[in-house]
Amino acid sequence: MGHGRRTTALRDTAVGAAAAALIAGSVVGLAPAAQAAAPVRFVDITGYGGTVLKANVAAPADADATHRYPLIVLPTSWSLPQVEYLAQAQKLADSGYIVVSYNVRGFYQSGGQIEVAGPPDVADASKVIDWALANTGADPQHIGIAGVSYGAGISLLAAAHDKRIKAVGALSGWADLIDSIYSGRTQHVEATALLDGTATLTGRESPEANQVFKDFYASNLDREQAMIDWGEKRSPATYLDQLDKNGAAVFMANAWSDSVFPANQYADFYDRLTVPKRLELRPGDHATAELSGLLGLPNDVWTDTERWFDHYLKGTDNGIDREQPVQLESRTSGGYEGYPDWKSVGATQKKLALAGATTIHANVDSGADGGVVLLSGLLDQVAQLPPVASIPLLPRRWAAVWQSERYGSAQQVRGTARLHTTLTPTKESGTLVAYLYDVGPLGLGKLVTHAPYTWYDRTPGKSFDVDLDLFSTAYDVPAGHRLALVIDTVDPLYIEHNPSGAQLTFSSPVDDPSYVSVPLREQ
């Protein structure tokens, strides 16, 4: 993984940022407690290997062996306490569910160590179901599991390993852990440092997890395959066949600007599932779309999650199974759009040609970047303020820039833009970051999407093809604006691997022209 930069300082500063995030998260979790509706009791549950898991139970008052109700299990998010879901648990209990929320192993008062959704975490989910069936009026034929972020990943993994689970709500989660934090063979260092920092504050990492983090920061290529194998074991995508075979109905939701678990890997996984399924994508950053629901406020994500459980656990004919299964909300125009499947989202492809030959120097941030983990996507969600850059002022020594003509009508970008270009580096390794901007009349570019790409062991001076999927999005480019593709070599979100003095030349051979393919909504 080459020679990374800035990782030690970034991890230290992430601990401070993590503390602020945890304070906010704890307030979110604690806020509903004073307004408890359904009675809540706090219990200890024996998980895998005898590990004690701290949990709470919300249930209808008459739930017992003669009055059984569907069960919903809620594993907590990374570094959040067991009261995280109280508002939603009470709401679900009031509508006829038994809800068991539990703190995942390694965090807060739960025992064990942080296994990062490893086999012990998956086994814990089944142990919690066992406990609920033995100690509450839970109906063994109607079991669901749901969670946000870490809880979402564990929920999908549990459904792949436990046939008793009939419905899943996976909110702001991951399907492919490696494609989330190591896409384009590039370390997503700000996101990983945030996870590592919060774990340091609130839990106890296992020796294996601690070593993986160290190898990740150190860019240890000798340990790259071991890291990939570790991540695949913790990726629901690895167990897709088992999930399909078990048949649980899967509801998935994520945010377009999720800086921890990008939308691409979720949409790709959704596309391959054959069980009853639904995918919802909205503006926001990691877990910000679900945030108001954790406070007990009206929230579309949680409303549709409950509708999903009502249909697949209670048999309620609420129509959710007859709606278009892919529901998208644009970052700029608002309102939901329905599609029959993911491939229908970007039905039309328009190519932006990357003509000519352009050489840039590496090792300097040009001013184009993907923003700040958690913050940038949240600003885009609440104020439509994505990261911006003045495209005319970007220094061409460090940034390659191509622009379209002004569009005569609005361009509704939907789905996954793809970059194809020919690259000739002067060094054997390197990193580039590609950005797609919406450029207004004054040259101010608003970030539409981006993605990093890293290579190793290339022959200096020898060309090779680069094919890169940018992160999926939904963004409306106004009439009179342009699209601009910018490529540079440094972004604070990622570890870069450009040797000192490296230069990159982008060309567009006649027999293999370079372009960005932009997916557009069918008009």
Side-chain angles (χ1 to χ4, degrees):
M1 285 180 273
H3 300 287
R5 297 179 173 85
R6 302 171 288 105
T7 54
T8 302
L10 185 54
R11 179 179 177 178
D12 292 341
T13 56
V15 172
L22 284 170
I23 292 170
S26 297
V27 169
V28 166
L30 290 168
Q35 305 174 25
V40 176
R41 59 190 176 102
F42 292 84
V43 299
D44 289 350
I45 296 176
T46 301
Y48 174 76
T51 296
V52 175
L53 305 173
K54 296 295 182 177
N56 60 73
V57 182
D62 62 346
D64 56 30
T66 59
H67 294 86
R68 294 197 174 274
Y69 291 93
L71 169 67
I72 296 178
V73 173
L74 301 174
T76 53
S77 301
W78 184 272
S79 286
L80 288 187
Q82 60 157 308
V83 294
E84 174 188 3
Y85 300 116
L86 274 186
Q88 290 300 321
Q90 291 160 356
K91 185 174 183 292
L92 288 165
D94 287 341
S95 63
Y97 291 95
I98 292 172
V99 185
V100 180
S101 305
Y102 71 96
N103 238 128
V104 292
R105 65 171 52 225
F107 286 104
Y108 293 97
Q109 288 79 33
S110 284
Q113 297 176 321
I114 299 168
E115 303 288 347
V116 195
D121 293 296
V122 178
D124 282 344
S126 292
K127 290 289 187 180
V128 172
I129 293 173
D130 293 342
W131 182 92
L133 295 178
N135 293 276
T136 73
D139 183 346
Q141 301 304 313
H142 299 93
I143 298 172
I145 188 169
V148 176
S149 184
Y150 196 43
I154 290 174
S155 294
L156 286 170
L157 289 164
H161 288 84
D162 193 325
K163 296 179 181 179
R164 296 174 296 179
I165 297 172
K166 304 303 181 185
V168 179
L171 316 179
S172 290
W174 77 92
D176 188 323
L177 190 57
I178 294 301
D179 198 34
S180 295
I181 63 173
Y182 194 53
S183 72
R185 212 177 175 188
T186 309
Q187 296 99 320
H188 297 211
V189 69
E190 276 195 14
T192 306
L194 181 67
L195 296 174
D196 190 17
T198 51
T200 300
L201 284 171
T202 62
R204 304 161 300 280
E205 290 178 0
S206 69
E208 181 184 27
N210 187 261
Q211 186 61 52
V212 168
F213 280 124
K214 287 181 178 178
D215 292 337
F216 183 91
Y217 295 132
S219 302
N220 186 351
L221 272 181
D222 291 338
R223 297 285 299 167
E224 182 183 34
Q225 189 57 52
M227 182 188 74
I228 291 172
D229 293 343
W230 174 89
E232 287 180 346
K233 186 184 293 186
R234 289 156 171 81
S235 296
T238 301
Y239 310 100
L240 178 73
D241 291 344
Q242 290 175 229
L243 192 56
D244 281 337
K245 183 178 179 180
N246 288 350
V250 175
F251 174 86
M252 302 169 63
N254 207 344
W256 291 119
S257 303
D258 193 316
S259 51
V260 180
F261 302 130
N264 286 45
Q265 48 88 35
Y266 234 31
D268 291 345
F269 177 73
Y270 169 86
D271 219 23
R272 296 163 55 201
L273 280 172
T274 60
V275 296
K277 59 185 179 177
R278 182 180 175 99
L279 174 67
E280 298 185 356
L281 293 168
R282 298 175 173 83
D285 208 310
H286 183 60
T288 62
E290 297 85 9
L291 190 59
S292 64
L294 294 178
L295 282 166
L297 301 173
N299 181 276
D300 287 355
V301 186
W302 286 104
T303 295
D304 285 350
T305 301
E306 184 173 352
R307 291 176 64 219
W308 191 256
F309 284 136
D310 284 349
H311 181 75
Y312 287 100
L313 296 183
K314 290 182 177 179
T316 304
D317 185 12
N318 56 18
I320 196 167
D321 58 318
R322 296 188 295 275
E323 296 171 1
Q324 295 276 44
V326 177
Q327 293 287 322
L328 310 182
E329 183 181 1
S330 170
R331 291 164 47 202
T332 51
S333 58
Y336 290 99
E337 304 165 3
Y339 299 86
D341 47 43
W342 177 247
K343 66 176 179 290
S344 299
V345 172
T348 302
Q349 299 288 324
K350 180 176 289 188
K351 289 185 177 180
L352 166 59
L354 310 180
T358 302
T359 298
I360 62 172
H361 295 251
N363 313 117
V364 174
D365 190 340
S366 70
D369 65 62
V372 178
V373 66
L374 291 185
L375 178 60
S376 295
L378 179 60
L379 284 174
D380 189 37
Q381 175 185 351
V382 301
Q384 293 189 4
L385 290 176
V388 298
S390 174
I391 304 304
L393 296 181
L394 289 176
R396 275 22 180 200
R397 179 179 177 85
W398 297 297
V401 180
W402 298 265
Q403 295 192 71
S404 71
E405 298 297 322
R406 288 190 177 89
Y407 295 112
S409 60
Q411 305 293 297
Q412 294 182 305
V413 180
R414 300 289 187 273
T416 307
R418 294 180 170 88
L419 166 67
H420 173 76
T421 189
T422 298
L423 171 62
T424 308
T426 60
K427 304 289 185 179
E428 70 284 349
S429 65
T431 297
L432 63 83
V433 186
Y435 310 88
L436 189 65
Y437 284 99
D438 159 27
V439 185
L442 299 180
L444 184 66
K446 294 183 177 181
L447 187 64
V448 177
T449 181
H450 78 287
Y453 180 90
T454 294
W455 64 93
Y456 300 99
D457 301 324
R458 292 288 181 174
T459 302
K462 185 175 181 180
S463 300
F464 63 93
D465 288 343
V466 172
D467 290 286
L468 175 63
D469 284 356
L470 279 61
F471 300 138
S472 304
T473 195
Y475 184 102
D476 295 352
V477 179
H481 286 213
R482 308 172 186 263
L483 280 172
L485 191 282
V486 177
I487 299 178
D488 72 2
T489 63
V490 177
D491 190 308
L493 288 172
Y494 310 108
I495 293 179
E496 51 99 356
H497 302 274
N498 297 291
S500 180
Q503 298 180 35
L504 311 180
T505 297
F506 302 94
S507 58
S508 183
V510 174
D511 59 346
D512 185 20
S514 296
Y515 60 85
V516 174
S517 180
V518 180
L520 301 177
R521 182 184 181 187
E522 188 171 13
Q523 300 300 307

